[in-house]
Amino acid sequence: MIVIFLIAGALIFAISMIFIHPGVKKIIWVSIGLILSIGAVVVMTLNYNTFLGMKKVSQTQTYPLTSSVKGQHVLAYQQLGTKNECVYFYATNPMQQKLAKTNPSTGTAKVTHNSKMSQVKITRTYRVYRNDGLRILFSNGIPNHQFVSQNYEFRLMSGWKLKKISVQDKKS
């Protein structure tokens, strides 16, 4: 819809500059076309850069945590480079064959101890338009329900340990 305003403003500006004779009427129509065009470009830029008209909403889900290593109470992780970033390997079901893993590029992971129950709390954040009017206005720009981040909070009972694994451990 905002693109329609941009095109309409450009057409009003061009047509009034070419076909309307000089005078107050021409100045008014040229001004309307110019304001509409520049306003549309500014609003489109703000939507693209600062997510104008959008708000963040979060969805939180909590799952029971099952050990990454059978027979032990362990949460396995792998260090990435020299930074503090880690990939955590976890399971939420004892019958789960393949371990799920965190993605440090899309969010953060936090580990706390001495919880009553071992669990993982996953919080996903999305951007959504504040109302239907803004969604219609920017329908050709940023999509509604756009993924922003995913954060993990591992709550471990006492007795659980963190185990660092290397690439060789994963292959075997």
Side-chain angles (χ1 to χ4, degrees), residues 19-109:
F19 296 113
I20 298 178
H21 296 291
V24 175
K25 188 176 178 183
K26 180 174 186 167
I27 293 172
I28 291 173
W29 280 106
V30 167
S31 299
I32 289 172
L34 200 57
I35 290 170
L36 200 56
S37 297
I38 292 173
V41 169
V42 167
V43 170
M44 282 178 16
T45 304
L46 286 173
N47 181 39
Y48 183 75
N49 291 328
T50 64
F51 304 102
L52 177 73
M54 298 188 94
K55 63 181 178 180
K56 289 183 180 179
V57 289
S58 297
Q59 295 176 333
T60 301
Q61 295 175 319
T62 304
Y63 302 102
L65 192 60
T66 310
S67 180
S68 303
V69 179
K70 293 186 184 199
Q72 300 176 14
H73 294 298
V74 172
L75 177 63
Y77 71 96
Q78 182 178 6
Q79 187 80 27
L80 295 178
T82 58
K83 296 182 180 180
N84 253 355
E85 295 175 336
C86 296
V87 174
Y88 291 91
F89 298 93
Y90 66 95
T92 57
N93 183 348
M95 300 298 177
Q96 190 172 336
Q97 295 294 323
K98 188 176 179 184
L99 293 175
K101 63 183 179 177
T102 62
N103 186 350
S105 65
T106 61
T108 60

Side-chain angles (χ1 to χ4, degrees), residues 114-166:
N114 297 327
S115 177
K116 294 179 182 175
M117 188 174 141
S118 294
Q119 57 189 5
V120 59
K121 180 177 153 184
I122 303 172
T123 305
R124 291 177 182 91
T125 306
Y126 299 94
R127 281 193 187 92
V128 295
Y129 285 106
R130 294 185 192 277
N131 56 42
D132 283 339
L134 291 169
R135 185 182 56 78
I136 292 169
L137 183 65
F138 297 114
S139 61
N140 65 333
I142 298 169
N144 198 17
H145 208 70
Q146 180 188 30
F147 177 77
V148 176
S149 67
Q150 181 166 305
N151 299 315
Y152 300 88
E153 183 180 349
F154 294 99
R155 298 175 182 161
L156 304 178
M157 289 178 16
S158 58
W160 276 65
K161 294 185 168 94
L162 289 172
K163 180 181 180 187
K164 184 176 182 178
I165 59 172
S166 62

